Amino acid sequence: MGREQWKKILVGSAGNMVEWFDWFVYASFATYFAGAFFPDGNPTAQLMNTAGIFAVGFFMRPVGGWLLGRVGDRKGRKAALTLTVTLMSASAVLIAVAPTYAVAGYGGAVVLLVARLLQGLSVGGEYAASATYLTEAAAPEKRGFASSFQYVSMTAGQIVGLGLQIVLQRTLSDDALHSWGWRIPFIVGALGAAVIFYLRRNMLETEVYEESADADATVGGDDKGTIKALLAHKREAFLVMALTMGGTVAYYTYTTYLTKYLSNSAGLSKQTATLVSFCALIVFACLQPLAGALSDRIGRRPLLITFAVGSTFLTVPIMTLLQHAGSFWPALGLSLLALVVVTGYTSINACVKAELFPTGIRALGVALPYAIANALFGGTAEYVALWFKDGGIESGFYWYVAGCAAVSLIVYLTMRETRDIDLNRVKTAENVTHAAKQVA
């Protein structure tokens, strides 16, 4: 890849990292601020309340997917990416200054809810804008490799968040963290977003999008980025949802929920659980480009199928063994095994989805179906896990994750390869119909 392509990928990835730092910091620090916004009681119930607000953020993602996907298709990928990071910065500031239950009763929880809704709006557009941007910015034979940096940057955001948590755990007392220390990462996130806003204001648009002014012919002029245009691609939209189902549940289980699971169910200390997640995610991030490059050589389907088979048959034993891991090294080994399996999905799902749609509907086509699937499955994964735990049947969640992966496995087995689809040629309705038949 040329220098300009690398510049586009690096700037797009840096912004995505800050977006997901803010998104995941909520989950990783929830054990510290759960008691700040809700009355004293059962710690699991407090976590369920904060997890519920976490899930509500996901239900704004379809709205964000529609709104920001439309902006991305009509105004450009750069415009959408700049808007997403602005919204994320505002939400981080709100959480940082939200009053506690002792000060404002449930008023603080309302501020927290508003902030999560803004985050959901932002991330709902960020995924598709980033996936589209990274895929379009790459050379055709490097799309898998380039788009894998979406999950490198997403994971890097979580690694930075967990790293900051480790530092705070070692420099502040437990009381200080529960009292005010949990606000620090949200302040850091707001400042980081301001830096990325500047970078994105000066980023380059993708050649694929610029050449599509020409894009008016892609979906019929004023229909770019509209629901009307998306309805002409219902088959592809359904495929995006089905592709996402198993992957998003597994991803959120082994990333955002893992730290809580290790401390709340496996009995590890919060510090040890955080360190396990931190180390596992570093390895996970390094695997993404390797798997993405592999997909450029052998195709996308083999990796997706490997993920789905592994997740279907290994989730129950991995989660069961994790619950009895007892110490750092067994927990790390099992977490790494799970994340290696998940890499088959995370490394290439962005480019697979982007390869299904023409330029004038690509951002919305990826954003809305993906956001809906995430709202139904990814965003609720943590809450479902805690619901099973609260009901005394925690193992039911393991089977739920495996079942979602099994459904996606059926889709992976029946779809065809997307690696060789030409993004510049998927322009007319006739071409899209032909492409859909190739990947159906």
Side-chain angles (χ1 to χ4, degrees):
M1 293 189 294
R3 181 178 178 180
E4 288 302 316
Q5 288 179 325
W6 272 112
K7 183 177 180 180
K8 292 175 181 177
I9 290 171
L10 291 175
V11 173
S13 297
N16 201 35
M17 181 185 73
V18 173
E19 289 267 4
W20 287 90
F21 168 85
D22 287 339
W23 183 259
F24 283 117
V25 150
Y26 179 98
S28 62
F29 277 83
T31 55
Y32 291 104
F33 67 73
F37 295 103
F38 300 98
D40 293 336
N42 186 334
T44 298
Q46 290 178 335
L47 281 174
M48 286 183 69
N49 285 328
T50 54
I53 292 178
F54 182 80
V56 166
F58 275 82
F59 285 96
M60 277 299 286
R61 289 178 68 161
V63 179
W66 165 72
L67 177 62
L68 295 167
R70 179 181 174 88
V71 171
D73 285 329
R74 298 182 74 86
K75 303 298 182 181
R77 318 312 186 201
K78 173 182 172 180
L81 287 168
T82 302
L83 182 55
T84 60
V85 78
T86 303
L87 293 171
M88 186 62 78
S89 179
S91 65
V93 170
L94 281 176
I95 297 176
V97 302
T100 64
Y101 180 83
V103 173
Y106 284 107
V110 171
V111 174
L112 190 66
L113 176 62
V114 171
R116 287 299 296 173
L117 293 176
L118 284 177
Q119 284 188 337
L121 191 70
S122 174
V123 177
E126 170 68 22
Y127 173 87
S130 177
T132 301
Y133 188 89
L134 290 171
T135 301
E136 290 181 348
E141 69 278 8
K142 298 289 186 180
R143 289 201 300 255
F145 174 76
S147 65
S148 71
F149 280 88
Q150 181 176 47
Y151 272 81
V152 171
S153 58
M154 287 170 61
T155 306
Q158 188 174 5
I159 290 171
V160 172
L162 287 170
L164 179 57
Q165 186 174 16
I166 291 171
V167 170
L168 292 176
Q169 286 173 338
R170 281 157 174 72
T171 56
L172 297 177
S173 67
D174 195 59
D175 287 341
L177 275 172
H178 282 85
S179 176
W180 57 269
W182 60 265
R183 297 183 187 271
I184 294 175
F186 297 103
I187 296 172
V188 172
L191 294 174
V195 173
I196 299 305
F197 175 82
Y198 171 78
L199 293 176
R200 284 187 168 178
R201 285 288 300 272
N202 296 281
M203 73 193 300
L204 300 172
E205 187 58 84
T206 67
E207 292 180 7
V208 171
Y209 184 84
E210 288 180 334
E211 290 173 0
S212 68
D214 189 1
D216 284 350
T218 328
V219 293
D222 290 339
D223 284 344
K224 286 194 304 179
T226 64
I227 297 295
K228 177 182 177 181
L230 182 59
L231 290 175
H233 308 286
K234 293 188 291 289
R235 186 185 187 93
E236 293 87 346
F238 175 78
L239 190 55
V240 169
M241 292 182 65
L243 283 167
T244 301
M245 179 182 177
T248 192
V249 171
Y251 176 74
Y252 281 100
T253 296
Y254 294 120
T255 56
T256 59
Y257 180 60
L258 181 65
T259 304
K260 295 187 192 66
Y261 179 74
L262 291 176
S263 62
N264 205 28
S265 296
L268 274 65
S269 68
K270 290 179 182 178
Q271 291 82 354
T272 301
T274 301
L275 187 60
V276 167
S277 293
F278 181 79
C279 294
L281 288 172
I282 289 177
V283 177
F284 180 64
C286 294
L287 289 174
Q288 304 308 301
L290 298 177
L294 180 62
S295 79
D296 287 325
R297 296 178 64 86
I298 68 174
R300 322 296 189 210
R301 285 183 70 246
L303 273 72
L304 290 172
I305 292 171
T306 299
F307 150 70
V309 170
S311 192
T312 299
F313 294 103
L314 294 179
T315 294
V316 175
I318 287 175
M319 295 295 286
T320 301
L321 290 171
L322 270 174
Q323 190 173 13
H324 300 93
S327 61
F328 174 81
W329 288 109
L332 178 62
L334 290 165
S335 299
L336 285 174
L337 174 60
L339 289 173
V340 167
V341 171
V342 174
T343 295
Y345 166 79
T346 55
S347 60
I348 58 170
N349 79 96
C351 66
V352 171
K353 294 162 188 173
E355 287 165 346
L356 297 176
F357 296 94
T359 303
I361 195 62
R362 185 168 293 131
L364 180 62
V366 175
L368 188 55
Y370 171 82
I372 291 172
N374 257 273
L376 294 174
F377 302 104
T380 59
E382 183 178 332
Y383 192 83
V384 171
L386 291 170
W387 181 82
F388 273 113
K389 177 178 176 58
D390 197 51
I393 47 172
E394 190 165 21
S395 62
F397 176 68
Y398 316 159
W399 290 100
Y400 169 76
V401 176
C404 289
V407 172
S408 287
L409 175 60
I410 296 172
V411 177
Y412 303 154
L413 289 171
T414 55
M415 68 180 286
R416 291 187 180 179
E417 190 54 62
T418 65
R419 179 187 57 179
D420 298 322
I421 290 177
D422 187 341
L423 298 182
N424 292 299
R425 292 184 62 190
V426 186
K427 291 183 176 180
T428 64
E430 290 77 13
N431 284 338
V432 174
T433 300
H434 176 67
K437 290 178 179 179
Q438 287 184 317
V439 299

